[in-house]
Amino acid sequence: MFEQEASLVPPWLEPMLRTAFFTVCRTHGDAARSECNMYCLDCNDQAFCFYCRSSKHKDHQVIQIRRSSYHDVVRVGEIQNIMDISGVQTYVINSARVVFLNERPQPRSGKGVAHICEICGRSLLDPFRFCSLGCKLAGIKRDGNASFTLEIKNEAFMERKEGISRQVSSRKQEELRADSQHDIYPPTTHKPPSSARRRKGVPHRAPFGS
């Protein structure tokens, strides 16, 4: 089970979800942008500030964490190219589409709610399975029927594409086979009957008897 989870979840995701963001940087605490809202996927260590990125993570793969109502979010455009976030509810905040890192406390949804998170029961706006990356991670650990790995998503897409191609190819082969049969056995053509009437011959009188 652990090997399966490792293939479905990037190694940096769980440490990132456990990280405390927006603390003051110990090194650059007096600077204007000293809040630790960056996370390095290569180092997979702890949050750091804007100035630490310039000095220690210049050529690394870094994502920026943002805040919405005291909860951590990441922009979809920043994370969708490095992990599969399908099934997670997205929200538009400050004109940017984001996903929440972890679940947010909420009373259990009532019966009138159409869509809820499969893990925490939070009400959702659209027909998604999870409210956050953390809940999707919990779903993978529980059922194993989801993935954060883009390669698996691409493989599934390619399999569907190949299946469609095979169906199209099979139809084309049947059409070609039918055409070849028409060529081998051309249809018999019947000459339409002529509408012109045959001219009658000149009548001959019987000879008179003597």
Side-chain angles (χ1 to χ4, degrees):
M1 184 63 182
F2 291 109
E3 292 181 1
Q4 183 182 3
E5 288 178 12
S7 65
L8 302 177
V9 180
W12 47 264
L13 180 61
E14 287 193 73
M16 185 186 75
L17 295 180
R18 292 194 300 262
T19 300
F21 292 98
F22 296 95
T23 58
V24 177
C25 178
R26 296 178 181 179
T27 307
H28 307 99
D30 296 331
R33 302 173 68 176
S34 62
E35 59 184 7
C36 296
N37 63 345
M38 305 275 184
Y39 192 83
C40 180
L41 308 187
D42 296 320
C43 297
N44 196 17
D45 189 8
Q46 56 186 358
F48 51 90
C49 74
F50 170 81
Y51 307 102
C52 290
R53 177 178 185 175
S54 302
S55 59
K56 300 178 181 178
H57 307 275
K58 185 177 181 181
D59 298 322
H60 294 180
Q61 193 170 20
V62 174
I63 59 175
Q64 181 177 352
I65 306 301
R66 304 167 194 273
R67 278 232 154 157
S68 173
S69 302
Y70 302 101
H71 295 285
D72 298 334
V73 301
V74 61
R75 286 184 175 177
V76 170
E78 194 170 352
I79 200 170
Q80 65 181 355
N81 294 326
I82 54 178
M83 65 184 298
D84 178 12
I85 60 171
S86 61
V88 180
Q89 173 75 63
T90 61
Y91 300 86
V92 177
I93 298 173
N94 295 330
S95 302
R97 189 164 291 278
V98 302
V99 291
F100 283 86
L101 265 61
N102 294 292
E103 66 176 272
R104 293 159 290 154
Q106 183 195 42
R108 285 281 171 175
S109 303
K111 293 183 179 179
V113 178
H115 312 295
I116 61 172
C117 176
E118 293 181 6
I119 301 301
C120 69
R122 184 179 183 85
S123 59
L124 304 177
L125 302 176
D126 304 299
F128 288 95
R129 297 180 58 190
F130 310 105
C131 70
S132 62
L133 300 180
C135 281
K136 181 173 181 177
L137 175 61
I140 292 173
K141 289 184 174 183
R142 185 186 67 180
D143 303 322
N145 61 352
S147 172
F148 283 113
T149 309
L150 287 174
E151 286 79 2
I152 293 178
K153 183 180 181 180
N154 292 336
E155 285 176 4
F157 171 76
M158 290 303 295
E159 287 177 1
R160 288 195 300 270
K161 187 176 179 181
E162 289 175 1
I164 294 171
S165 299
R166 283 195 295 268
Q167 292 176 3
V168 173
S169 177
S170 177
R171 284 199 299 269
K172 285 185 177 179
Q173 288 178 1
E174 290 177 2
E175 291 172 0
L176 290 173
R177 194 179 300 114
D179 291 341
S180 64
Q181 289 177 355
H182 286 310
D183 294 339
I184 296 172
Y185 305 106
T188 305
T189 56
H190 299 280
K191 242 182 177 181
S194 176
S195 60
R197 294 182 178 179
R198 182 178 293 180
R199 291 185 61 184
K200 293 182 179 180
V202 179
H204 297 281
R205 285 187 179 184
F208 292 101
S210 50

